[in-house]
Every structure is written in structure tokens, then in C-alpha cells.
Amino acid sequence: VRWPAGGRSSGLHCGIKKHSPDLGVILFDGGIPWAGTFTQNAAAAACVGWSRARLGSPARALVVNSGNANACTGRAGRDTVIETARAAAAELGCTPEEVLVASTGPIGVPLPVDRITTALPGAIAGATEDALPFAQAILTTDTTTKVAIEPAGDATVMGVAKGAAMLAPGMATMLAFFVTDAEVEHPDLQRIVSRAVDSSFNRISVDACESTNDSVFAFATGSSACDLEHLQAAFRRASEDLAEQMVRDAEGGTRTVRITIAGADDDGHATGLARAIASSALWRAAVNGGDPNWGRVLAAMGSVDRNLTPDLVTLKIGDVTVFDKGEVTSTFAEAAPEMANKEIDLRCWVGAGEGATDFLTTDLSPEYVTLNSGGST
Amino acid sequence: VRWPAGGRSSGLHCGIKKHSPDLGVILFDGGIPWAGTFTQNAAAAACVGWSRARLGSPARALVVNSGNANACTGRAGRDTVIETARAAAAELGCTPEEVLVASTGPIGVPLPVDRITTALPGAIAGATEDALPFAQAILTTDTTTKVAIEPAGDATVMGVAKGAAMLAPGMATMLAFFVTDAEVEHPDLQRIVSRAVDSSFNRISVDACESTNDSVFAFATGSSACDLEHLQAAFRRASEDLAEQMVRDAEGGTRTVRITIAGADDDGHATGLARAIASSALWRAAVNGGDPNWGRVLAAMGSVDRNLTPDLVTLKIGDVTVFDKGEVTSTFAEAAPEMANKEIDLRCWVGAGEGATDFLTTDLSPEYVTLNSGGST
């Protein structure tokens, strides 16, 4: 698992978590173009504010910690980000503004910045082309590292991500870091990344909870020529791959559901309906138990679209049509075998429009509740 | 538990459920004024469509079944409602249009209407002033009957309700039935009931899932004079009492949370923020475990209000201020004792506006997931 040419990284334990790796850095030889998308949450973390403000200028390095989100931490949290950027800049001989910062973990806990600044020189000195220690250092309750590599003509796009919970990105995503050796300037890269995010991370939901720290960073080291079409396709494949890895490793998740909506007014309408289904605690509990209780799907769509016409709606679970243009067409027992799979296809036709979407989600399990019901104190 | 003068009811087992009571009727001596509010869900049940269409004309009786929502059941479902109204009308010697119909239970299952029509003559003949059999017949996974009685000057307002899950009423509520002996015409009664619903059932959430069958019915038998102000106050108290009973009997609920929002732009803004907190699976899981993980409260508010300014926000859990105008003011450990109570007060000041709300919700427990993860087949 090696970064494309020009990218180096490291990951180590600096003491924010008890034992596991919690500090990662990505380094480049000089200031390079990068693109990013960030959470729209109004309670965004201090690091999100800092990195977002750097959009459009070159980046030399990125520092990320896990085990603490540095969100809702007030003035001290903002100072922490600046101290982190300064410490990295001093080691690298660049300006603090060339250093991006990201964080993930619990919200509202003061971040002990001295542990980061103390460990940074070693992290920077130890950076190599091996991406694995970095991929491990960004995890929280994830159980697997998440990596995707895609060819883009002669160039390569590689991404590393983390997911788990508080995962319902809107116009943004959880933490994902891409490096490509393609030669591409910021405006093109930003457009390519925004599109890739929209068809991948923005179409998944684990628990309908939007994070304060969602961030995607994409860096272009520029050593390989690549046409923009290939680069767009590679970013799209890599993003969809990582988004799917996130859902498969969702906190407490035991099944994945691919929701397909067709016949909507437009793609935005379709995605809104899919997101409503993916946010229904009742439907997600039914998925957990393998119960084809599809009335909860219709109720979820009807709660967000007041113009939905049940007589135009058809629902299919796997190969079984359960509801056809307003009429019940199978018993729950007939549909039950389709719900026994680890991967469930739920297809909904909602009218005669051209709007459509694919959306990926998971079940709601007792384990998800237990995982999130304590541990802060 | 006796209805105000002029109201009679019964409840019995007709065979929709295996054993417990599943059919209720309320009867009046002649056509009387009534008011109602209904779900705004586009996948509303056939009975909701029927009863809503009767608003403004007098009512003679109401028939309600539990164990089947008769929602998303197509043409057969609509026929079922008409057959039910006709059967009751034939017994009572009135028109089918004077008979209101309500249902609650699983969605998407054909309703065996012959079991209702066969049992209706006995249910009508057996109606008495005792409301308890009716209160029992409307329950689904509720564990207790829900009754409220309030004086309104010389008149009385009495309400009976059911709750449990798929409970996040918006402009409507779950099933609730009020009878008052007050003399009041439809327009005044409708205004009084709509206001009472808005400050009670519309300010609770169990699982953020809006039902296809939410309905409130209020009947006025007219034997007692009562000024409208007293009547409004009595309906408000009775509605808030029943709404609170619903939350305390929420599926899988182990604690209640009273969310108070102040300083919002207006009351609607405040209620939107409260609803976002009440809908957060992560915050609700934390409540289940007694974990004061308040960052999830800020993340939930920030996900629905892009203009929220954390530096203006103050959060208090019980007596402990955890976040004061953007700064962390206590550790999780210091706030933990406040989360150990069965009833938790969460107070949020979000700015300098005049908008405020009270909102009542519950925790998300592993038991809620288990209760809703099977049983349809």
C-alpha cells in the first residue's frame, strides 16, 4: 500500500488514545495543489475551519489525529490547531498556512496539543511511501483500514478513509485522504473531487447523524500527465469504493442495504427519498432482524415527500415485488427469504420522472446502541 | 373512567390480533360536532382519508381497530373502510358518512374486514359510559392505557390515547380520542384542538418516524355550557398529559428527556432544533447509557441549522452547565450524575431571540431495536 509518487506519510501513537495509533501526517516535497470538501455542520470543528480557509493555496503537509474531534472546544480548540500547524511548519521549513489539520473522535473534550507537538518531529522524520501506518492512525471505532487505488491513465489515484458512526455526510464526508501523482491544478481537482464526493460519500448513511468533522482532502503531486476525464473516473471509482468500505464497517452493522430510487422528479428528489428510508430507525431495525416490513419504507418516504402518490409506487425487495402501483403483491413471508442476505437490494419506483439514485446504508442493531451508550466518562 | 355525559364506548376482541382486544367503538345519541387533526404523511392510511373528508359534518360514531393499520393496502383497503362505516351505520340507523374510522398496527397487511363487521353489532349493543375497554382495545405495543380527564368550567374534557413507536407526530399525532360534554361548534372546537395538539403531541418524539395513521378526534356532546377559554385550557392540559404518557410508555424507553430550547429566532426554529436533538440516534443511545455526551447535541443542532453559532450556545444537563457560550465548562464525569436520573432536563440557549419550546423524548435502547426487528412474518 504505497502512495503515488511524491506522497509520504507516517502514523504513530502520541498519547491521545490509550494504546492505538492516533497521529498521522502526510508530506509532500513542496507546496502542491489540493482540493477538499468539508462538513456543512454549523458546529464544525476548529480544524475544519482552518483547513477550509486554506482552499486554493498550495499545501505542504497534513496533520491528523484520532481520539479527539477538537469540535466544540472553544478558543483553546482554535489555538490547538494553530499550534499544530506551527509545529509542523517549523520542522518542514514552510509557513503554518501550508499545513492542513484534521481531527476525529469525541466532541467537546479539550485536545492535549502538547502530545501532538511533542510527537510531530518523529512523525515527520519517519514518513515513508508506505500508507498503512497512516491508514491505521486515523481509525476510531473502525475495525478495518480503508484504502482504494485506481489507475487514471498513466497516473494513479489513491485514497485512505475512516468511517464508523456519526456518518451521514451531506455535501461532505467523513475523513478521506486522496493522493494522485496526476498533474492537475486546484480548480480542476476541486471540481473532480466535488463530483466524486457527491456520487459516493454523499450517498451513504450509517445513522443519519452528520459529523462536525467530515472532511475530504485530495492532493496532486503532479509527476504524471493525465487527462481530466480519466482522473474524474478514477476519483469516482476510488470514492465509491471507500464509501462502500465505510458502510460495510459501520458501527454495529450486520447487513448492507442498497436503496435504488427511480422515477423521481429529479436526482435530488430521489436522494431525499433514499435518505429518508436510510434514516428510519424502524426500517433499519427491521433490516437487522431480516423482517421485510416494507410499510416502514413507504411511511418514511411519505414523511418527507407530501406529494408522494402511493398508487404510483412500486417496491421490490431482492427479486420479490411486495407493492405494485398501490397494491400489496406478496405476503411478508414470501419476501422474508430476500431479507436473509447480508446484502439487500431495495428498489423503489415512485413515479414517471427521470430522477434516480443509488444509496447505501446499513441496519440498526442492538450493538450500535450499546457501542454508543457509554464510554465518554 | 367514565366518558363525559353523552359519550358511550366499548372494546372487545374481534380476531385481528390473536388474543387481546382489537376493536373499539365510540357512540353518541345523535350527530354531534367534532374536530380532528391527521397525519401529513403522503402514505396516509385509507381510514385517515375517509375520516379527514368528514371534517365539518356531524359524527354519530367512531370505529377503531388495532392490530392492522390498513395503510398501503390499495383499493381493498379503501373498500374496507367503506364497508366498516356501512355496517356501523346500518346498526345505528344513520348514514355511513356519520361514522368515522381509525386503525393502528402494521402497515401493508390486508385487513380482514369481515371480522370487524361480524363483531360490530355486539360492540355497538354493549357500549357503556365506561371508557376502559375502549382504551384497552386501541393499544398495540403500549404497555399501559392512557387516559386524561380535565375540568373545563362546568364541563369536562376526557381523552384516551395510544402511542408506543413510529411516533414523531408532525401537525398531527398518534391515535387520541377526546370527548367533552361542552357545548361548542365545530370551528371553535377545531381551533381549540389544533392548538392543543401543537403544544403537546407535536412536541414529542419517540423514534423520529412519522406514522401513516396519526389521528386525533375530539367530540363535543353539548350538554354543558363552557366558555372557550376554559375549554382551550382543559384540552391543552389533557393533551399534554396524554403526550407525556405516550413518551413514558415509549417502546424500549428507559428514560425521558425534557428538551428546553430558548433564545431561538422563533418558536418554530426552537422546535426544529429540539426535534433534531430528539432524532439523533447517537444522543439517544448516550441517554440510554447515562452518558453525558453533549457534543452529539451540538452536532444535531448544527446539522439542521447552518446558522447556529456555537459561541452563542449554552448547554445545561440538569444542574450542570457543560458548555457556556462556546467554551467547555465541565468534564463528562462532572455531568454524569445528572444523566443517572430517569427524567433528564436538557436546556439549550442558542442565541438572543425570543423563540422557545419544550419537547419531550426518550432514549434509544437495544430493546427498541429488538422489539422492532421482527415479528411481521
Side-chain angles (χ1 to χ4, degrees):
Chain A
V1 190
R2 300 175 84 77
W3 293 108
R8 285 179 297 134
S9 72
S10 66
L12 48 74
H13 174 68
C14 80
I16 299 169
K17 295 180 186 169
K18 282 220 178 88
H19 301 295
S20 32
D22 51 15
L23 181 68
V25 295
I26 307 182
L27 306 176
F28 308 100
D29 297 331
I32 61 167
W34 70 283
T37 67
F38 298 93
T39 184
Q40 296 205 331
N41 198 301
C47 52
V48 168
W50 169 270
S51 295
R52 185 159 43 195
R54 309 277 93 74
L55 270 175
S57 13
R60 180 73 196 278
L62 177 140
V63 181
V64 52
N65 72 274
S66 58
N68 189 313
N70 195 20
C72 306
T73 42
R75 185 179 313 209
R78 293 188 282 271
D79 289 345
T80 289
V81 176
I82 296 170
E83 282 182 56
T84 301
R86 278 192 187 143
E91 285 298 309
L92 293 164
C94 66
T95 68
E97 286 72 20
E98 288 177 285
V99 179
L100 306 173
V101 182
S103 296
T104 180
I107 302 168
V109 182
L111 174 59
V113 67
D114 54 312
R115 296 184 197 169
I116 294 177
T117 51
T118 304
L120 262 177
I124 289 170
T128 69
E129 287 187 343
D130 181 3
L132 198 60
F134 178 86
Q136 289 164 335
I138 64 175
L139 305 182
T140 52
T141 54
D142 308 64
T143 67
T144 61
T145 55
K146 295 168 185 70
V147 178
I149 306 176
E150 291 289 342
D154 292 339
T156 301
V157 171
M158 180 168 148
V160 169
K162 59 90 50 193
M166 198 175 266
L167 187 42
M171 312 296 125
T173 181
M174 286 307 289
L175 295 188
F177 306 90
F178 292 92
V179 174
T180 178
D181 53 346
E183 193 181 353
V184 56
E185 289 307 308
H186 167 74
D188 286 329
L189 185 62
Q190 183 67 48
R191 186 171 39 77
I192 283 170
V193 169
S194 294
R195 278 189 193 164
V197 165
D198 194 46
S199 72
S200 57
F201 303 113
N202 281 359
R203 306 237 180 144
I204 63 174
S205 173
V206 162
D207 54 9
C209 293
E210 182 192 77
S211 159
T212 51
N213 288 52
D214 294 345
S215 305
V216 171
F217 297 87
F219 302 94
T221 62
S223 60
S224 296
C226 175
D227 69 83
L228 296 182
E229 207 172 315
H230 278 110
L231 194 62
Q232 177 76 69
F235 263 102
R236 183 177 173 138
R237 287 193 307 268
S239 298
E240 291 180 0
D241 184 349
L242 288 174
E244 194 159 329
Q245 290 183 50
M246 284 183 190
V247 173
R248 288 191 200 291
D249 191 29
E251 264 185 14
T254 69
R255 300 172 202 267
T256 58
V257 183
R258 188 174 298 277
I259 303 168
T260 313
I261 309 277
D265 299 342
D266 53 42
D267 292 355
H269 178 222
T271 302
L273 292 171
R275 192 177 293 281
I277 299 166
S279 304
S280 165
L282 284 171
W283 163 249
R284 295 180 56 227
V287 171
N288 180 251
D291 185 0
N293 200 331
W294 53 266
R296 296 169 176 180
V297 171
L298 266 164
M301 291 198 291
S303 73
V304 296
D305 177 5
R306 300 309 194 192
N307 295 315
L308 188 83
T309 309
D311 284 355
L312 298 179
V313 173
T314 294
L315 297 183
K316 206 168 166 179
I317 301 176
D319 291 329
V320 177
T321 302
V322 293
F323 189 75
D324 189 8
K325 292 197 169 58
E327 301 294 337
V328 180
T329 48
S330 71
T331 64
F332 286 151
E334 285 163 349
E338 302 289 337
M339 297 291 293
N341 302 317
K342 297 294 281 182
E343 319 220 335
I344 296 163
D345 267 320
L346 173 68
R347 277 173 287 176
C348 313
W349 291 264
V350 297
E354 300 281 312
T357 198
D358 270 341
F359 203 98
L360 208 59
T361 180
T362 182
D363 57 332
L364 174 63
S365 65
E367 293 72 33
Y368 170 91
V369 180
T370 307
L371 275 166
N372 285 293
S373 66
S376 296
T377 53
Chain B
V1 191
R2 302 175 84 78
W3 292 108
R8 285 179 298 134
S9 72
S10 66
L12 48 73
H13 174 68
C14 80
I16 299 169
K17 294 182 187 168
K18 280 215 178 94
H19 301 295
S20 32
D22 52 13
L23 181 69
V25 295
I26 307 182
L27 306 176
F28 307 99
D29 297 330
I32 60 166
W34 70 283
T37 67
F38 298 94
T39 184
Q40 296 205 331
N41 198 302
C47 52
V48 168
W50 170 270
S51 296
R52 185 159 43 195
R54 308 278 92 74
L55 269 176
S57 15
R60 180 72 194 279
L62 176 139
V63 181
V64 52
N65 73 275
S66 58
N68 189 313
N70 195 21
C72 306
T73 44
R75 185 178 316 209
R78 293 188 282 269
D79 290 346
T80 290
V81 176
I82 297 170
E83 282 182 56
T84 301
R86 276 191 187 143
E91 286 297 309
L92 293 164
C94 66
T95 67
E97 286 74 20
E98 289 176 285
V99 178
L100 306 174
V101 182
S103 298
T104 180
I107 302 168
V109 182
L111 174 60
V113 66
D114 54 313
R115 295 183 199 170
I116 292 177
T117 52
T118 304
L120 262 178
I124 289 170
T128 69
E129 287 187 343
D130 181 4
L132 197 61
F134 178 86
Q136 289 164 336
I138 64 175
L139 304 182
T140 53
T141 53
D142 306 66
T143 67
T144 60
T145 55
K146 294 168 186 70
V147 178
I149 306 176
E150 291 290 341
D154 291 339
T156 302
V157 171
M158 180 168 147
V160 170
K162 59 88 54 192
M166 197 175 266
L167 188 42
M171 309 298 124
T173 181
M174 287 306 290
L175 294 188
F177 306 91
F178 292 92
V179 174
T180 178
D181 53 347
E183 192 180 354
V184 56
E185 289 307 308
H186 167 74
D188 285 329
L189 185 61
Q190 184 67 49
R191 187 170 39 78
I192 283 170
V193 170
S194 294
R195 279 190 193 162
V197 165
D198 194 47
S199 72
S200 57
F201 304 112
N202 280 359
R203 307 236 179 144
I204 63 174
S205 173
V206 163
D207 53 10
C209 292
E210 181 192 76
S211 159
T212 52
N213 287 52
D214 293 345
S215 304
V216 171
F217 297 88
F219 302 94
T221 62
S223 60
S224 296
C226 176
D227 69 84
L228 297 180
E229 207 173 315
H230 278 110
L231 195 61
Q232 178 74 71
F235 263 102
R236 181 177 174 140
R237 286 192 307 269
S239 299
E240 292 181 358
D241 185 350
L242 289 174
E244 193 159 329
Q245 290 183 51
M246 285 184 188
V247 173
R248 289 191 199 291
D249 191 30
E251 264 184 14
T254 69
R255 299 172 203 265
T256 57
V257 182
R258 188 174 298 277
I259 304 168
T260 313
I261 307 278
D265 298 343
D266 52 43
D267 291 356
H269 177 222
T271 303
L273 292 172
R275 193 179 292 281
I277 299 166
S279 303
S280 165
L282 284 171
W283 163 248
R284 295 181 55 228
V287 171
N288 181 250
D291 185 359
N293 199 331
W294 53 266
R296 295 168 177 182
V297 170
L298 265 164
M301 292 198 291
S303 74
V304 296
D305 177 4
R306 300 311 193 190
N307 295 316
L308 188 82
T309 309
D311 283 354
L312 298 179
V313 173
T314 294
L315 297 183
K316 205 167 167 180
I317 301 177
D319 291 330
V320 177
T321 302
V322 292
F323 189 75
D324 189 8
K325 293 199 168 57
E327 301 294 337
V328 180
T329 48
S330 71
T331 64
F332 286 151
E334 284 163 349
E338 302 290 336
M339 298 291 293
N341 302 318
K342 297 295 281 182
E343 320 218 336
I344 295 163
D345 267 321
L346 173 68
R347 278 174 285 176
C348 315
W349 292 263
V350 297
E354 299 282 310
T357 199
D358 269 340
F359 203 97
L360 207 59
T361 181
T362 181
D363 57 331
L364 174 63
S365 65
E367 293 72 34
Y368 170 91
V369 180
T370 307
L371 275 166
N372 286 294
S373 65
S376 297
T377 54

